[in-house]
Protein backbone atom coordinates (compact mmCIF):
# COMPACT_ATOMS: atom_id res chain seq x y z
CA UNK A 1 0.00 0.00 0.00
CA UNK A 2 1.10 3.50 -0.67
CA UNK A 3 0.84 6.12 2.04
CA UNK A 4 -2.74 7.42 2.17
CA UNK A 5 -4.06 4.69 -0.17
CA UNK A 6 -7.11 2.73 1.03
CA UNK A 7 -6.46 -1.02 1.19
CA UNK A 8 -9.23 -1.83 -1.33
CA UNK A 9 -7.70 0.57 -3.87
CA UNK A 10 -4.23 -0.89 -3.25
CA UNK A 11 -5.54 -4.40 -3.83
CA UNK A 12 -7.08 -3.49 -7.17
CA UNK A 13 -3.97 -1.55 -8.23
CA UNK A 14 -1.64 -4.43 -7.34
CA UNK A 15 -3.66 -6.96 -9.36
CA UNK A 16 -3.53 -4.60 -12.34
CA UNK A 17 0.19 -3.87 -11.99
CA UNK A 18 1.33 -7.40 -11.26
CA UNK A 19 -0.81 -9.59 -13.55
CA UNK A 20 -2.67 -7.05 -15.69
CA UNK A 21 -6.07 -8.06 -14.29
CA UNK A 22 -8.98 -5.97 -13.07
CA UNK A 23 -10.76 -7.31 -9.99
CA UNK A 24 -13.86 -6.39 -8.05
CA UNK A 25 -14.04 -6.83 -4.32
CA UNK A 26 -16.76 -9.28 -3.28
CA UNK A 27 -16.34 -8.76 0.45
CA UNK A 28 -13.94 -7.85 3.19
CA UNK A 29 -13.23 -11.04 5.13
CA UNK A 30 -11.01 -10.35 8.14
CA UNK A 31 -7.65 -9.18 9.38
CA UNK A 32 -4.74 -11.48 10.20
CA UNK A 33 -1.85 -10.49 12.44
CA UNK A 34 1.46 -12.35 12.42
CA UNK A 35 4.71 -11.77 14.25
CA UNK A 36 7.57 -13.79 12.81
CA UNK A 37 11.36 -13.94 12.59
CA UNK A 38 13.26 -14.01 9.31
CA UNK A 39 17.05 -13.91 9.11
CA UNK A 40 17.21 -13.14 12.85
CA UNK A 41 14.99 -10.07 12.46
CA UNK A 42 11.48 -9.78 13.96
CA UNK A 43 8.67 -8.65 11.67
CA UNK A 44 5.07 -7.67 12.44
CA UNK A 45 2.57 -8.19 9.63
CA UNK A 46 -1.03 -6.99 9.44
CA UNK A 47 -2.97 -8.49 6.50
CA UNK A 48 -6.40 -7.28 5.42
CA UNK A 49 -8.10 -10.19 3.65
CA UNK A 50 -10.63 -9.66 0.85
CA UNK A 51 -12.48 -12.04 -1.44
CA UNK A 52 -12.17 -10.82 -5.03
CA UNK A 53 -13.42 -11.82 -8.46
CA UNK A 54 -11.83 -11.14 -11.83
CA UNK A 55 -13.74 -8.60 -13.91
CA UNK A 56 -12.97 -10.78 -16.93
CA UNK A 57 -13.63 -14.46 -16.21
CA UNK A 58 -11.10 -15.55 -18.88
CA UNK A 59 -8.41 -15.02 -16.20
CA UNK A 60 -9.71 -18.23 -14.58
CA UNK A 61 -8.76 -20.17 -17.72
CA UNK A 62 -5.03 -19.69 -17.11
CA UNK A 63 -3.27 -22.38 -15.10
CA UNK A 64 -0.55 -19.95 -14.08
CA UNK A 65 0.37 -16.27 -14.16
CA UNK A 66 3.60 -14.34 -14.40
CA UNK A 67 3.65 -11.79 -11.59
CA UNK A 68 5.80 -8.73 -12.20
CA UNK A 69 6.90 -6.61 -9.28
CA UNK A 70 9.44 -4.01 -10.34
CA UNK A 71 12.15 -5.90 -12.23
CA UNK A 72 11.36 -9.24 -10.53
CA UNK A 73 9.11 -11.85 -12.15
CA UNK A 74 7.60 -14.89 -10.45
CA UNK A 75 5.30 -17.56 -11.84
CA UNK A 76 2.27 -18.43 -9.69
CA UNK A 77 -0.43 -21.04 -10.22
CA UNK A 78 -3.90 -21.90 -9.01
CA UNK A 79 -3.99 -24.29 -6.04
CA UNK A 80 -7.12 -26.10 -4.85
CA UNK A 81 -8.28 -25.82 -1.26
CA UNK A 82 -7.61 -29.54 -0.91
CA UNK A 83 -3.97 -29.09 -1.97
CA UNK A 84 -3.61 -26.10 0.36
CA UNK A 85 -4.74 -28.35 3.22
CA UNK A 86 -1.86 -30.81 2.70
CA UNK A 87 0.92 -30.74 5.28
CA UNK A 88 3.60 -30.23 2.62
CA UNK A 89 1.90 -27.08 1.28
CA UNK A 90 2.79 -23.76 2.91
CA UNK A 91 0.37 -20.83 2.65
CA UNK A 92 1.07 -17.32 3.83
CA UNK A 93 -0.09 -15.40 5.71
CA UNK A 94 -0.34 -17.83 8.58
CA UNK A 95 -4.00 -18.32 9.49
CA UNK A 96 -5.43 -17.71 6.01
CA UNK A 97 -6.49 -21.32 5.38
CA UNK A 98 -8.20 -21.53 8.79
CA UNK A 99 -10.01 -18.28 8.00
CA UNK A 100 -11.25 -19.64 4.66
CA UNK A 101 -12.52 -22.84 6.28
CA UNK A 102 -14.34 -20.96 9.07
CA UNK A 103 -16.31 -18.62 6.80
CA UNK A 104 -20.10 -18.88 7.15
CA UNK A 105 -20.27 -18.72 3.34
CA UNK A 106 -17.16 -20.62 2.20
CA UNK A 107 -15.22 -19.35 -0.78
CA UNK A 108 -16.17 -21.50 -3.74
CA UNK A 109 -14.32 -21.92 -7.00
CA UNK A 110 -16.14 -20.40 -9.95
CA UNK A 111 -17.53 -22.89 -12.50
Amino acid sequence: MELGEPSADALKREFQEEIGADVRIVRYMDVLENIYTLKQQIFHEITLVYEVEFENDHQLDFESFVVTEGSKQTTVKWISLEELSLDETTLYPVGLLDLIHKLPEPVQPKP
Side-chain angles (χ1 to χ4, degrees), residues 3-110:
L3 186 61
E5 181 180 32
S7 61
D9 293 347
L11 178 68
K12 291 177 182 181
R13 178 182 52 74
E14 289 290 337
F15 266 93
Q16 182 52 239
E17 288 177 3
E18 294 185 10
I19 65 171
D22 293 318
V23 295
R24 67 180 154 274
I25 294 175
V26 175
R27 62 181 161 167
Y28 167 79
M29 294 170 52
D30 209 340
V31 63
L32 297 173
E33 179 178 28
N34 287 295
I35 299 170
Y36 61 97
T37 303
L38 180 65
K39 296 181 182 178
Q40 300 178 343
Q41 187 174 355
I42 296 175
F43 292 88
H44 192 172
E45 170 185 73
I46 305 291
T47 305
L48 301 172
V49 183
Y50 292 89
E51 180 182 354
V52 300
E53 292 179 343
F54 288 113
E55 290 284 352
N56 187 337
D57 286 343
H58 86 279
Q59 297 282 356
L60 296 171
D61 297 336
F62 298 112
E63 289 186 27
S64 64
F65 296 89
V66 174
V67 175
T68 303
E69 189 166 2
S71 62
K72 183 180 174 185
Q73 289 192 330
T74 306
T75 300
V76 297
K77 66 177 186 168
W78 294 112
I79 304 282
S80 69
L81 288 175
E82 292 78 19
E83 189 173 344
L84 286 174
S85 297
L86 299 175
D87 287 339
E88 61 268 15
T89 303
T90 303
L91 176 65
Y92 294 107
V94 172
L96 181 57
L97 189 59
D98 288 337
L99 173 63
I100 292 169
H101 285 299
K102 291 177 184 176
L103 289 172
E105 297 175 36
V107 174
Q108 295 295 321
K110 299 297 178 190

